[in-house]
Amino acid sequence: DGRIVNLRALAILLVVFGHSIIFYQNGWSLYTTDYKVPVLNLVKRIIDLLQMPLFFSLSGYLFEKSYRRNHFLPLIMKKIKRLIVPFVAFSFLWMIPIRFLVRYKGYIGKTPLEIIWNCTVLGNDNGHLWYLPCLFVCFILTYILMRGLDKLIENTTIKMGILFVTSYMFSYFFYLLQGFLGVEIARAVAIYWVWFCIGFIMATYCFPEKFLFSCQIDSHYFSQVIFVPKPPPSHTDLALLPGYLIAFWFRQDFLPPT
């Protein structure tokens, strides 16, 4: 579908542009600049709200077909090969050595075990590589939950409703887990698994724009009440935009198939 290709391109451009202006974002504490550019700060905050929900929703959307075709073990092995192997390779052959060479301040005073386990594996300081294990966890959680629902329930709408509600409610569980155990990867799953499930649900209905707009609910209301788990307090003022992302995504006349 040409729309999926277009959205992938959009997501990649958002990530590249967003990281090019990250120095001007309020709250960014690594390699800071003395210059303040309020416009770029605002743009970066908007991009932050769009880029990762878009990536995870696309992954969930495409995963729906893989879920139907694959059994658990072959799927796990495929995802390990595509996500965990690159994560381990880039962590230990690139990121950690480079950080040691540049005397990365986050590693000062930490033992090698702390760097490997706490910083890298648990995701408390693994840079942008957090996305790979987080996506892997989303695949596993969705697969296990859907297999259970498929065995117990025949009605598709009920299954999709349970999937969404479960991912939404688990977001709070993962937030608590992150605060109790200090596992940063749990925070990432808390934020983005629900978006992964939204993509999966949309793919299940085949005609997502009809499913979305038949609800007759303004997308602003979608974003604040239904679709978005409560974000960290520092991001509450940005909670309205993901609903517009969903509306933008599934307007067939906006991104026509090629």
Side-chain angles (χ1 to χ4, degrees):
D1 192 326
R3 291 173 296 169
I4 298 298
V5 176
N6 290 339
L7 285 171
R8 280 176 166 173
L10 172 64
I12 292 170
L13 290 173
L14 285 174
V15 170
V16 172
F17 180 66
H19 283 82
S20 72
I21 61 174
I22 198 170
F23 298 104
Y24 305 106
Q25 183 179 24
N26 292 343
W28 179 255
S29 58
L30 297 175
Y31 308 108
T32 57
T33 177
D34 293 330
Y35 297 97
K36 302 296 181 182
V37 185
V39 172
L40 292 182
N41 174 56
L42 177 61
V43 170
K44 182 62 174 72
R45 294 171 72 190
I46 295 173
I47 289 175
D48 282 347
L49 201 64
L50 296 176
Q51 61 185 5
M52 298 320 299
L54 180 54
F55 266 120
F56 279 91
S57 298
L58 281 171
S59 296
Y61 188 93
L62 297 173
F63 177 63
E64 193 269 343
K65 290 184 178 179
S66 298
Y67 166 76
R68 304 297 176 189
R69 294 196 305 259
N70 293 282
H71 293 292
F72 185 67
L73 187 58
L75 181 69
I76 288 292
M77 297 308 297
K78 183 182 298 184
K79 297 308 177 185
I80 288 176
K81 181 178 179 180
R82 299 192 63 176
L83 297 172
I84 301 304
V85 170
F87 171 74
V88 172
F90 279 96
S91 293
F92 293 97
L93 299 179
W94 178 258
M95 183 188 70
I96 293 177
I98 290 295
R99 285 182 169 183
F100 273 116
L101 287 175
V102 300
R103 300 180 183 277
Y104 174 61
K105 63 181 181 180
Y107 287 172
I108 297 176
K110 289 185 171 64
T111 66
L113 181 60
E114 288 176 319
I115 293 171
I116 292 172
W117 179 249
N118 187 52
C119 297
T120 305
V121 176
L122 297 184
N124 292 314
D125 189 6
N126 59 9
H128 304 302
L129 296 177
W130 66 267
Y131 174 76
L132 298 175
C134 179
L135 185 58
F136 179 78
V137 173
C138 290
F139 279 122
I140 302 306
L141 290 175
T142 305
Y143 187 95
I144 293 174
L145 179 57
M146 282 304 304
R147 283 302 181 207
L149 292 175
D150 284 341
K151 291 180 179 179
L152 297 174
I153 302 171
E154 292 186 3
N155 186 285
T156 300
T157 301
I158 294 177
K159 287 190 290 187
M160 294 303 104
I162 293 175
L163 176 65
F164 173 76
V165 171
T166 301
S167 64
Y168 184 92
M169 296 305 297
F170 260 50
S171 65
Y172 296 97
F173 166 78
F174 278 118
Y175 269 124
L176 293 175
L177 181 66
Q178 190 274 334
F180 181 70
L181 299 178
V183 181
E184 182 66 15
I185 191 65
R187 185 189 70 87
V189 174
I191 296 173
Y192 297 116
W193 185 35
V194 65
W195 289 105
F196 186 94
C197 291
I198 288 171
F200 187 96
I201 292 167
M202 295 302 182
T204 300
Y205 280 90
C206 298
F207 299 100
E209 74 287 344
K210 294 181 181 179
F211 169 72
L212 177 69
F213 290 104
S214 66
C215 296
Q216 299 296 315
I217 299 177
D218 179 74
S219 59
H220 184 109
Y221 183 77
F222 257 46
S223 66
Q224 290 190 312
V225 180
I226 299 177
F227 275 112
V228 182
K230 299 302 180 183
S234 60
H235 295 133
T236 52
D237 58 329
L238 297 176
L240 66 131
L241 288 178
Y244 294 100
L245 168 66
I246 295 294
F248 156 80
W249 179 2
F250 291 115
R251 284 300 297 270
Q252 292 228 24
D253 56 341
F254 194 91
L255 289 175
T258 57

